[in-house]
Amino acid sequence: MIVGVIGGGQLARMMIPAAVNLGIEIRVLAEAEGMAADIAATGVGDYRDRETVLAFAQTVDVITFDHEHVPQDILRALIEQGTPVHPGPDALLYAQDKLTMRAKLSELGLPVPDWAAIEDAEQLGAFLEAHGGRAVVKTPRGGYDGKGVRVVRAAHEVDDWFQTLAEDGRGGALLVEELVEFKRELAQLVARRPSGEIAAWPVVETVQLDGVCSEVIAPAPHSAGKLADVAAEIAVTIADGIGVTGVLAVELFETTDERLLINELAMRPHNSGHWSQDGSTTSQFEQHLRAVLDLPLGGTAARDPWTVMVNILGGPASGSLADRYAPMLAAHPTVKVHNYGKDPRPGRKVGHVNASGDDLDDVSYQARAAAAFFQD
């Protein structure tokens, strides 16, 4: 069995050990030389080029992804060529376009913030007036880690985005949403195989720093019972409702009035699931491979009462992460390090650490202190 991964980032890189353990060959179509998944990169090329992607697909048994950006026409050409694609284009559509996603989730009767598609400042002004003078505006495509998202208080604050839409000449709209009053952010991961089997991990709490995930606590504190059940039900409904195959991450707001609202979707392994590498019976990367190959899914129970993942953002001002291994490993021998093989750069995700144990305060300390060794 040969799995082809389009995209050479850290998610593709972290699929490699799971594939080795299962005796599965992974081939990666990377965007450039020297990317995180370079060790398995059998091709380098533009994922937006039809012939490049179709030629790569002919060397593998199934196609999956490190990201959701492959154009729909290429995804559908893969299907026409006879290559299994997981998740497929009909599902990926909802991860590629936030307006389409919001409409579908609303159609499924799932809880989302109040939203609208807006084409000009007048429509944005009307939404602001109806929602207390504040709102969140998002570009429907391409935004991640805080990019393409603005909190606005006046209609003119996204004039440049409206101008870009006008210059594009194809029409289009922006997504505006109510500014949700939430007490914390959560994430629910599930995996679904083509035959329909679904497995859900415990719901986790995520902590954001400047729009980027900084920490994940698994399971989310005070989540046992109804909250965990509702989060899992939401994710399962989405996975079944749009036919997701592979890992699905549902980012959620827990509001101040005790509701869960869906924020974003990702149809691939996700930062909020990195804890599972060391803290779950089956990691999200192994599960994703099982799912796209339609193999029985693994158990998702937590190995320890608590696991905390902390991202290494930026990395050291000079040298590499490996230069810091000796003091970090000596000080925190139970912490697991995951290095993405990326050059340090301010704000860049260059790795993460996982710590597990019985006491949340101690586990959090171990993970944060270990990550701090790599950041200046």
Side-chain angles (χ1 to χ4, degrees):
M1 293 182 285
I2 304 173
V3 176
V5 184
I6 297 179
Q10 64 260 27
L11 301 179
R13 178 189 181 97
M14 288 184 277
M15 290 184 207
I16 297 168
V20 169
N21 289 342
L22 290 170
I24 294 167
E25 182 179 348
I26 272 200
R27 297 181 183 176
V28 173
L29 178 64
E31 294 88 333
E33 300 283 353
M35 293 192 69
D38 175 46
I39 191 172
T42 54
V44 174
D46 189 347
Y47 60 81
R48 297 164 296 187
D49 181 75
R50 180 188 179 104
E51 296 311 312
T52 296
V53 174
L54 292 181
F56 172 70
Q58 289 176 342
T59 70
V60 302
D61 296 315
V62 60
I63 287 287
T64 191
F65 309 94
D66 172 82
H67 57 71
E68 294 104 338
H69 307 314
V70 179
Q72 280 284 314
D73 64 317
I74 295 178
L75 296 172
R76 296 187 186 281
L78 287 168
I79 299 294
E80 291 170 8
Q81 180 178 272
T83 303
V85 177
H86 298 299
D90 290 340
L92 274 170
L93 177 66
Y94 301 108
Q96 293 176 333
D97 189 297
K98 292 181 176 63
L99 281 169
T100 305
M101 178 260 289
R102 281 286 181 253
K104 183 63 175 181
L105 296 179
S106 298
E107 177 189 318
L108 291 172
L110 293 167
V112 296
D114 195 17
W115 66 279
I118 52 170
E119 298 178 2
D120 54 42
E122 182 179 352
Q123 292 177 344
L124 175 54
F127 190 93
L128 285 166
E129 185 176 352
H131 293 83
R134 296 187 303 162
V136 178
V137 180
K138 300 179 180 180
T139 54
R141 290 176 170 266
Y144 65 97
D145 284 348
K147 299 177 179 67
V149 179
R150 291 182 191 170
V151 177
V152 303
R153 291 170 176 78
H156 67 81
E157 292 181 40
V158 290
D159 280 349
D160 56 328
W161 286 356
F162 285 126
Q163 182 64 29
T164 299
L165 288 177
E167 291 172 353
D168 184 68
R170 294 182 298 177
L174 299 175
L175 170 65
V176 62
E177 299 178 343
E178 65 172 305
L179 186 63
V180 175
E181 296 291 340
F182 63 89
K183 47 185 188 181
R184 60 176 176 170
E185 294 184 70
L186 304 171
Q188 176 66 62
L189 264 68
V190 299
R192 181 178 181 273
R193 54 190 285 216
S195 58
E197 181 191 5
I198 296 181
W201 284 270
V203 65
V204 301
E205 180 175 342
T206 64
V207 180
Q208 314 298 314
L209 179 65
D210 297 327
V212 178
C213 180
S214 173
E215 298 182 12
V216 173
I217 304 169
H222 312 296
S223 62
K226 183 178 179 182
L227 190 152
D229 292 344
V230 171
E233 183 181 358
I234 287 171
V236 168
T237 300
I238 296 170
D240 275 337
I242 61 180
V244 175
T245 47
V247 168
L248 166 71
V250 182
E251 298 179 38
L252 299 158
F253 294 126
E254 183 181 7
T255 67
T256 53
D257 58 356
E258 308 299 331
R259 293 178 296 153
L260 287 182
L261 297 178
I262 301 164
N263 181 22
E264 301 281 0
L265 302 180
M267 294 177 198
R268 50 173 169 74
H270 189 256
N271 203 164
S272 64
H274 290 350
W275 72 274
S276 67
Q277 288 173 291
D278 304 297
S280 174
T281 304
T282 308
S283 80
Q284 64 168 342
F285 300 102
E286 178 183 338
Q287 197 81 296
H288 187 73
L289 293 174
R290 289 190 185 206
V292 302
L293 291 168
D294 205 16
L295 295 172
L297 301 180
T300 52
R303 292 182 178 274
D304 294 279
W306 301 105
T307 297
V308 173
M309 188 278 318
V310 176
N311 273 326
I312 302 169
L313 300 174
S318 62
S320 68
L321 266 64
D323 295 336
R324 310 288 179 93
Y325 280 172
M328 192 289 292
L329 295 173
H332 303 284
T334 62
V335 172
K336 301 298 184 181
V337 182
H338 298 270
N339 185 336
Y340 303 161
K342 293 180 172 182
D343 293 331
R345 190 176 67 204
R348 190 182 203 188
K349 294 177 185 174
V350 294
H352 68 270
V353 300
N354 285 330
S356 300
D358 296 331
D359 182 84
L360 179 56
D361 288 340
D362 180 64
V363 169
S364 297
Y365 164 75
Q366 295 290 337
R368 292 168 187 165
F373 271 89
F374 301 107
Q375 298 174 151
D376 293 327

